[in-house]
Amino acid sequence: MRLSDLHYDLPPERIAQHPCEPRDQARLLVLDRRTGALEDARIKDLPQWLRAGDVLVLNDTRVFPARLIGRREPTGGLVEVFLVRETAPQTWTALVKPGRRVRVGDRLTFGQGELQGVVTGRLLDGRRTIAFNCDGDFFALLDRIGRTPLPPYIAREADTPFDRERYQTVYAATPGSIAAPTAGLHFTLELLSTLAEHGVEIVKLTLHVGYGTFQPVRTENLAAHRVEPEVYVVPEATAQRINAARREGRRVIAVGTTSTRTLETVARDGVDGNLVRAGQGVTDLTIVPGFRFRVLDGLLTNFHLPQSSLLALVVAFGGYEPVLRAYRHAVTAGYRFYSYGDALLLI
C-alpha cells in the first residue's frame, strides 16, 4: 500500500484542543469487523460491546515531563532539551535547540543546578546523547523541573497543571513515555470496575511511547517505513492470562496501538496456537496492511493523523475500505480527532 492511500480530509476544527470531561463521555464509533456496520456510542457504553471472558489489555506507561529548559556552560546561553529515549541509566538521546551551538563536551545545567548533563555524542540525525547527573530520583526531579510535551497540533499552552493530570491514564504506573497512550485516556476507575464486574479480564503491559509517535512517514512505500525502537515489558501474569484466553477461544482486545504493537511483538506460533511470551525488550515492529495478526480480536484506538504509521496499523487490522469509511463518517458526524479526541472500537 502507498502512503497516499491513507489520506482523508480533516477540517482543522475537528482536531481536539481539550479532552472530553468526564473521560468516559467521549464519543465512541463502533465498527463491526464482520459486517462493516457502524454504530455511534459513548465510551461509557463499552460494557455493552465487551463480554464476560474478554481480555482487555492496557498500557500502564506513565508520561514524564520530557522537555527541559537549561543553560549551556560556560556561555550561559539558553538550551532546550527534549528527551527521546533512555539508552542507559540516566543517559538519553535527545533533540536540542539551538542544535548548531550544542557540541559534544558541552555541560548543561537545569533548574537551580539540581540536574546537570554532559553532551557525550552526536548522532547522524542531529540528536545528541546526554549523560545526566543528579542527587536522588531522576524522574522525581523531572516531575519538578521538566515540562510536559503535548503533540504539536494542540495549539495552546501545553504545560499546565490540568494537562499534567489529564494527559495521563488513570492507571499510569511506570514513568518512561514522552507521549500518552491516548486510547487509555478515556477510561475512568469506575468504568474499569464496571467492566470487571461484567467479567472482563483486565491486564497490563508497558510500552514506553517514544518520539516515533510524532514522526511522519517519509516514504511512499509503507513497507519501507520503520517506527523508532521503544522499550516494552510484558509481565508473566499478563502473558499467562492472554494465553489462557487464546486457548479457550476468548477474545483479546487491545487498548491502543501501543498495546497492539507490544502484543504482536511478543507473539509466537505455539503448538497449541498463537501465544505471547513474557519478558522485556525493545521493539521497532511496524504494522502495515498485509500484516498477519496473531493475538488481537479487537482494538480500541483514537482517530489518527492522515498518512501516519498509526493509521496504517488500524487499516491493517480493520481493512482499508471499512476503516476509511469509518473515518469519513466520524468527520461528517463531528467526532473529535487525535490525542484528546474521541475513539474507534474495531471488534
Side-chain angles (χ1 to χ4, degrees), residues 32-143:
D32 187 316
R33 296 176 64 214
R34 286 181 294 186
T35 67
L38 295 171
E39 186 164 344
D40 298 304
R42 298 275 176 182
I43 291 289
K44 65 182 179 60
D45 300 324
L46 269 175
Q48 80 179 69
W49 303 106
L50 305 186
R51 56 185 181 231
D54 286 347
V55 177
L56 191 67
V57 186
L58 310 177
N59 179 5
D60 69 358
T61 187
R62 186 172 186 82
V63 181
F64 70 96
R67 288 181 62 227
L68 292 165
I69 306 298
R71 294 195 176 274
R72 182 169 52 94
E73 298 180 357
T75 65
L78 285 176
V79 61
E80 178 179 335
V81 172
F82 184 15
L83 302 177
V84 173
R85 187 163 70 94
E86 190 174 30
T87 56
Q90 294 189 193
T91 297
W92 289 75
T93 58
L95 299 168
V96 297
K97 293 180 181 179
R100 293 181 179 178
R101 297 183 181 180
V102 180
R103 299 180 174 87
V104 174
D106 282 356
R107 295 184 177 275
L108 312 175
T109 60
F110 305 92
Q112 300 300 314
E114 311 98 308
L115 179 63
Q116 303 88 39
V118 177
V119 180
T120 58
R122 177 169 181 161
L123 306 180
L124 293 176
D125 58 3
R127 300 180 191 184
R128 306 299 193 275
T129 303
I130 303 175
F132 290 96
N133 178 51
C134 67
D135 293 328
D137 183 84
F138 179 72
F139 283 107
L141 181 56
L142 290 182
D143 279 338

Side-chain angles (χ1 to χ4, degrees), residues 115-338:
L115 179 63
Q116 303 88 39
V118 177
V119 180
T120 58
R122 177 169 181 161
L123 306 180
L124 293 176
D125 58 3
R127 300 180 191 184
R128 306 299 193 275
T129 303
I130 303 175
F132 290 96
N133 178 51
C134 67
D135 293 328
D137 183 84
F138 179 72
F139 283 107
L141 181 56
L142 290 182
D143 279 338
R144 185 161 60 82
I145 67 174
R147 301 183 181 184
T148 300
L150 290 186
Y153 44 75
I154 295 182
R156 60 175 175 80
E157 174 57 41
D159 188 47
T160 66
F162 170 80
D163 287 309
R164 284 210 172 196
E165 182 276 331
R166 196 54 179 80
Y167 194 59
Q168 200 82 263
T169 64
V170 297
Y171 47 81
T174 308
S177 280
I178 66 173
T182 54
L185 296 178
H186 302 296
F187 286 87
T188 64
L189 294 177
E190 293 76 15
L191 177 57
L192 291 170
S193 178
T194 299
L195 290 169
E197 290 170 1
H198 279 69
V200 176
E201 288 192 51
I202 298 171
V203 301
K204 297 173 183 175
L205 49 73
T206 305
L207 182 129
H208 293 315
V209 185
Y211 188 69
T213 194
F214 298 126
Q215 284 190 314
V217 179
R218 301 187 186 280
T219 173
E220 179 66 11
N221 178 11
L222 280 174
H225 177 69
R226 282 292 175 271
V227 298
E228 290 200 8
E230 296 169 318
V231 174
Y232 70 83
V233 178
V234 178
E236 182 65 40
T238 293
Q240 289 178 358
R241 293 171 72 180
I242 291 172
N243 289 336
R246 299 298 298 164
R247 294 188 185 101
E248 296 164 12
R250 294 185 281 120
R251 299 187 301 183
V252 177
I253 299 160
V255 175
T257 59
T258 58
S259 296
T260 299
R261 291 180 57 247
T262 304
L263 289 175
E264 296 298 332
T265 293
V266 298
R268 298 290 185 273
D269 286 324
V271 293
D272 53 355
N274 295 322
L275 304 179
V276 302
R277 292 181 182 173
Q280 59 185 15
V282 175
T283 179
D284 64 352
L285 177 64
T286 304
I287 297 176
V288 299
F291 181 84
R292 182 172 73 88
F293 288 87
R294 301 184 180 190
V295 182
L296 255 61
D297 301 293
L299 170 63
L300 176 71
T301 183
N302 278 25
F303 292 98
H304 302 294
L305 278 73
Q307 300 186 6
S308 65
S309 62
L310 302 178
L311 180 54
L313 183 153
V314 179
V315 166
F317 183 70
Y320 178 75
E321 289 295 341
V323 169
L324 269 293
R325 181 165 49 83
Y327 268 61
R328 289 191 293 270
H329 171 84
V331 171
T332 302
Y335 279 71
R336 300 160 71 249
F337 279 63
Y338 304 167

